[in-house]
């Protein structure tokens, strides 16, 4: 049986949601971050070889990296319909969004968050500087890439309810984390299809049960 | 037949290398960046919906995102042994490195590169500031994550020649780009197994043919 080591406010909420979508038996271990440093506690670090979240254990296997975990779990449930097979008509759409989530959207979201954190944390006399640098990075690098991806998402979601068609796949599971972050900070306001998608996944029973097990209103820490 | 739209100095070298490893027929279109701005030319942008590299076309399908392309091409060559099947003994190792490359290593490498670019490009009176900020981000965020991943890679490559075992898989193809970048800037000097792996892939016939077709000494633009 798979054990999900679930660290609060981390990317591991997505694995929890997937496990609930699958409706399979699994063990759940919850870990809270240190209230002051927001770092993972020692017992989490002991099980997570790289100190990252999420991590699952399954017999002798310890596996990190969200996408790898999703693929690994789906390997054990080949009939789950959450991963279109090679040759399926929606395979290319699926592969694009499944991989673009971690490969393109998350790095941009991470960089954007890093600049927002720096703006908050630097001493006050550095704030004008960091704001200038941050504005430059946003204008020259972050925003063009983010907008291109969101425009594509908005257009794809105009013709289908989920990223790879009419039902939830691992592409939706992966996309949920960066998209919820964007939703919370108002970045999807002009994108009705993206907004509807976020609200659609949040309304699912499996998502609600995962949220309940997570024990907080949202898995996204506001930045 | 698949057409690879290959933009110089971009992530698309990896697709070129994979196609050569597979030994299949494919069409190759080469695109040079604008000498001044280093941006992709207009005819590349016309084929790449998001303006990113790489992109392949295959009949009606246009597909971006490196990992998605690798999976898509392998779908058409299920006997190629470059993607261990569900349940294979090296499946978890494979999934980890295949996904960690774009999901963890590349975002860190990208952030690190962004700070190096900013250090170079900001007006001279801002340099001390940006160096201070860059040092903070490196110490607090980038280096711990990079070191954890490289330590894991060094340890895994102590017992096997490639990331998922004794032969090249898509995990090696994906890892080549960030690892070659680290190799070129001396970041692998204390990691003999990682260094040997980089030299091992560079010595392969398929890699050399890809390099020849790419038409430059290395696909990595020094930053």
């Amino acid at each position: 049986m798979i054990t999900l080591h679930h660290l609060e406010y981390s990317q591991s909420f997505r694995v929890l949601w997937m496990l609930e979508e699958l409706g399979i038996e699994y063990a759940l271990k919850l870990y809270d971050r240190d209230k002051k440093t927001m770092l993972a506690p020692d017992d989490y670090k002991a099980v997570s070889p790289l100190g990252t979240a999420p991590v699952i254990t399954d017999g002798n296997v310890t596996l990190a990296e969200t996408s790898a975990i999703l693929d690994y779990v789906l390997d054990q449930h080949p009939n789950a319909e959450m991963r279109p097979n090679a040759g399926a008509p929606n395979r290319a759409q699926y592969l694009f969004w499944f991989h673009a989530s971690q490969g393109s959207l998350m790095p941009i979201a991470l960089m954007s968050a890093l600049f927002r954190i720096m703006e908050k944390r630097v001493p006050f006399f550095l704030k004008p500087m960091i704001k200038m640098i941050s504005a430059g990075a946003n204008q020259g690098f972050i925003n063009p890439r983010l907008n291109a991806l969101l425009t594509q998402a908005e257009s794809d979601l105009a013709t289908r309810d989920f990223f790879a068609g009419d039902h939830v796949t691992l592409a939706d599971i992966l996309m949920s984390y960066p998209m919820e972050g964007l939703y919370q900070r108002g970045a999807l306001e002009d994108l009705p299809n993206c907004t509807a998608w976020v609200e659609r996944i949040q309304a699912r029973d499996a998502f609600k049960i995962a949220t309940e097990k997570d024990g907080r209103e949202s898995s996204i820490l506001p930045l």
Side-chain angles (χ1 to χ4, degrees), chain A:
Chain A
M1 193 161 70
I2 283 168
T3 301
L4 168 60
H5 300 270
H6 178 62
L7 179 65
E8 66 168 351
Y9 297 125
S10 78
Q11 299 197 40
S12 71
F13 179 80
R14 292 184 287 188
V15 180
L16 184 57
W17 175 30
M18 176 196 57
L19 291 166
E20 288 300 326
E21 287 284 348
L22 285 172
I24 60 171
E25 272 194 74
Y26 64 93
L28 180 64
K29 281 201 182 176
L30 301 168
Y31 301 80
D32 287 345
R33 291 179 184 272
D34 183 285
K35 294 273 172 289
K36 256 193 168 166
T37 64
M38 285 309 283
L39 294 174
D42 289 342
D43 55 341
Y44 186 84
K45 284 180 197 155
V47 76
S48 173
L50 295 163
T52 56
V55 161
I56 58 162
T57 47
D58 180 30
N60 293 328
V61 173
T62 299
L63 188 60
E65 197 70 32
T66 311
S67 332
I69 293 171
L70 299 188
D71 266 339
Y72 179 89
V73 174
L74 256 279
D75 284 356
Q76 300 179 1
H77 302 277
N79 298 321
E81 297 197 331
M82 290 178 76
R83 183 173 59 184
N85 289 326
N90 59 342
R91 175 77 170 166
Q93 290 169 354
Y94 167 78
L95 286 176
F96 176 74
W97 286 112
F98 177 66
H99 288 297
S101 176
Q102 298 295 94
S104 288
L105 191 51
M106 281 294 293
I108 296 166
L110 185 71
M111 229 178 305
S112 168
L114 191 74
F115 280 111
R116 284 198 304 282
I117 293 170
M118 289 195 304
E119 283 184 32
K120 276 190 191 173
R121 291 208 190 152
V122 293
F124 74 95
F125 59 92
L126 280 181
K127 275 191 203 294
M129 296 294 178
I130 190 81
K131 278 193 179 160
M132 207 173 102
I133 291 160
S134 177
N138 274 304
Q139 206 190 328
F141 188 88
I142 295 170
N143 291 342
R145 281 161 180 79
L146 184 60
N147 291 340
L149 277 166
L150 289 179
T151 302
Q152 183 70 49
E154 184 67 9
S155 147
D156 284 5
L157 292 171
T159 57
R160 46 193 202 252
D161 276 357
F162 298 98
F163 275 101
D166 61 4
H167 62 273
V168 165
T169 66
L170 299 187
D172 301 285
I173 304 274
L174 273 186
M175 286 293 285
S176 65
Y177 186 79
M179 291 291 270
E180 278 198 293
L182 292 163
Y183 178 83
Q184 279 194 13
R185 62 183 178 89
L188 303 183
E189 264 166 21
D190 297 330
L191 303 167
N193 301 329
C194 290
T195 299
W197 174 85
V198 170
E199 290 165 0
R200 192 175 299 126
I201 61 163
Q202 288 175 341
R204 293 176 71 82
D205 287 344
F207 194 100
K208 287 183 193 163
I209 296 168
T211 304
E212 220 165 273
K213 291 195 177 175
D214 180 40
R216 61 213 79 243
E217 224 173 284
S218 165
S219 66
I220 314 284
L221 194 64
L223 282 177

